[in-house]
Amino acid sequence: MFGEDVIRKVRESIDVVSLIGEYVALKRSGASFKGLCPFHSEKSPSFYVHPQRQFFHCFGCQASGDVISFIQRLEGLTFVESVRRLAERGGVELPSTDAREDLAIRQASQRRSRLVAITEAAAGYYLKMLAEHPLSSMARHELEKRGVSPETADTYRLGYAPNGWDGLCRFLAQKGYSPAEAEEVGLIVPRKSGEGHYDRFRHRLMFPIADLQGHIVAFSGRALDTPPGEEPPEEPPAKYINSPEGPLYKKGELLFGAHEARVELRREGEALLAEGNFDVVALHQAGFKNVVAPLGTAFTPMQAKVLRRFVSKVTVVFDGDRAGKKAVLNAYPLLAESALPTKVITLPGGDDPDSFLRKRGVEAFKTLLAAAPSIVDHLIEQASGDAGSDPAARAAAIESLGPILARIESPVERGLYVERVAQAFQVNDLGAVRRALNHGVRGTGTPRRSGLEPKASDAPAPRVQVFLPDIECATVGVLLDQPKLLGSDGGEGISALLSTTELRAVVHVLGRMIEEAGAVDGPALIVEVPEGVRSWLAGRLARQEVEAAGAEAYLASCLATLRREANKRLRDDLERRAREASRAGDVETLTKLTRELADLAKASRS
């Protein structure tokens, strides 16, 4: 969709260190910067960013690329979405492919930006009110009661919606936003009688809801105690009020805390899926920063897909009450469909993650996390426990597990779980258990597995492995760090001394880049060289090892070694051919090869 010139302009418009530094704490290391990799968990930094080459590489997980691939991988965007995002950030105007479509995209982007500005302004207002409003002490008391630190409250931008009817209405009007716009994003509500609007959220602790890019798109407001001097309402208010769905917000497509957790989700490869806002805040504060939650609704297929972008496994941390049990059961098919292996933490009765952490502490939660069973094991034990001792109830419970086991791909794993069901329900007749499970599957619409294993053609292609001699890598590395040493021949003389076609290709492309642009384009270089050298090249581009001072002498030393090795290879080849000529009685060829060996020996001594 975009030409190479456009892609290059987008890359050049973005400072790779500045962009990645928004996600990773980077420290200078020579000509590069290094930090903890955002794509896998590590204790010692192995993630490097080279500003001049606009390139990053992790020596731990081998992730590498440019600003486009970084944002694409970390934010879970498509290539086109990543280019558009970075073009907007860098002020690069993308070429129009369809004038009407382009105009529509620009107008939609401007409209969305305007609406996001309103929700961001509201978040700022609620934050200010938490610090200044006379009744905000009630919101702060709620946070203190739950042990939420000021730093954690700032991380999630928690605020306070004042008790009055139109504080936000007036604030937004002063900022130049129309009532129609504020109503469109669900912040204010038209009065039922007469003209004007009133604030949707009043006297509530406010949880801003951000999209994956960090834009505030909605709010969740938790009820607080009745202010002093006011009569309590006849009916208690809803514990939570959430923004209605609108142009910015589709509650089934977002997860609370996903933006704050996105880097840790990538790094850990695992998500903690909690139930509520306070659970997310409490777990994050306790050090479990890879935590998210659905938004006032049951877990949805789209939320499962969002998780799948970032992680390869999930641990569910729902309450142990009836609603929590139902939520786990409903989440299972969605997580299974997204191929996300899932474990379940069972909290003691009456506890949620927030209350459990406050009463028992972080280490107790870590113990539960380490011992968490798979979601299928959990559902089997739960069904067995809930069925009690009544034979009819136990038979029905076994049937209810049929759709759960039917979603397991591996026939071996499925068979082992059939045995676990029999053990959990203390049934000795395995055939009877299978028949009950199959009966439970019929008519439910659950996909039934036939025991087929993935085809060999479905397996990922093996990575190409190429042996690259250390001295040749060192030689090409000098040229990457100090490309001016390539010389007027574009490195042809150096290339002739290399034994590997992959490294010769690197020198060839490098020489052409220096001749055409006078600089190394790291991302383009990676694309143009053979696959077998890309892993080494990615790591080498991310770090500069040879400074200008002494580089020429170092290169001369490398070339001297390469010449000796090239001469040795040539001598070995001549000697081999001479032996073959001698065995064949070919005097003429033997004489010629003997002369060449003598010339080679003389040249080596000079």
Side-chain angles (χ1 to χ4, degrees), residues 135 138 226-230:
L135 292 177
M138 300 183 72
T226 304
E230 290 191 14

Side-chain angles (χ1 to χ4, degrees), residues 38-80:
F39 303 119
H40 82 288
S41 182
E42 61 179 9
K43 294 182 179 178
S44 299
S46 62
F47 181 82
Y48 284 77
V49 183
H50 197 293
Q52 278 72 43
R53 296 169 186 161
Q54 293 284 288
F55 201 80
F56 72 86
H57 179 76
C58 175
F59 289 87
C61 69
Q62 304 304 308
S64 62
D66 59 7
V67 286
I68 298 173
S69 55
F70 180 85
I71 206 75
Q72 182 179 356
R73 181 167 182 169
L74 194 67
E75 298 285 9
L77 303 175
T78 66
F79 178 79
V80 172

Side-chain angles (χ1 to χ4, degrees), residues 522-574:
L525 180 60
I526 284 283
V527 172
E528 292 196 45
V529 299
E531 184 180 349
V533 78
R534 288 178 185 172
S535 179
W536 171 81
L537 181 58
R540 196 57 184 75
L541 283 170
R543 286 196 302 193
Q544 183 163 327
E545 298 178 3
V546 182
E547 299 300 328
E552 191 170 353
Y554 182 64
L555 177 61
S557 173
C558 290
L559 293 178
T561 302
L562 285 178
R563 290 189 185 97
R564 285 195 299 271
E565 293 193 351
N567 286 341
K568 183 180 183 303
R569 287 195 301 272
L570 179 57
R571 183 175 65 253
D572 290 346
D573 181 60
L574 290 172

Side-chain angles (χ1 to χ4, degrees), residues 108-120 181-182 184-187 209-213 215-219 243-254 295:
S109 176
Q110 291 168 357
R111 179 63 176 160
R112 179 180 173 82
S113 296
R114 172 77 175 178
L115 297 179
V116 166
I118 297 173
T119 52
E120 292 280 357
E181 291 173 318
E184 190 174 3
V185 292
L187 290 170
I209 297 167
D211 63 15
L212 288 173
Q213 289 74 52
H215 303 132
I216 304 299
V217 294
F219 293 89
S243 295
E245 293 197 345
L248 297 181
Y249 177 52
K250 300 289 186 292
K251 62 184 179 182
E253 298 179 3
L254 296 176
L295 289 160

Side-chain angles (χ1 to χ4, degrees), residues 45 49 54 71-72 134 155 189 202 296 326 338 352 372 385 411 441-442 511 564 593 596:
V49 183
Q54 293 284 288
I71 206 75
Q72 182 179 356
T155 296
V189 180
R202 302 181 306 282
K326 183 179 179 183
S338 295
D352 55 27
V441 175
R442 297 188 192 107
R564 285 195 299 271
L593 292 171
E596 289 182 17

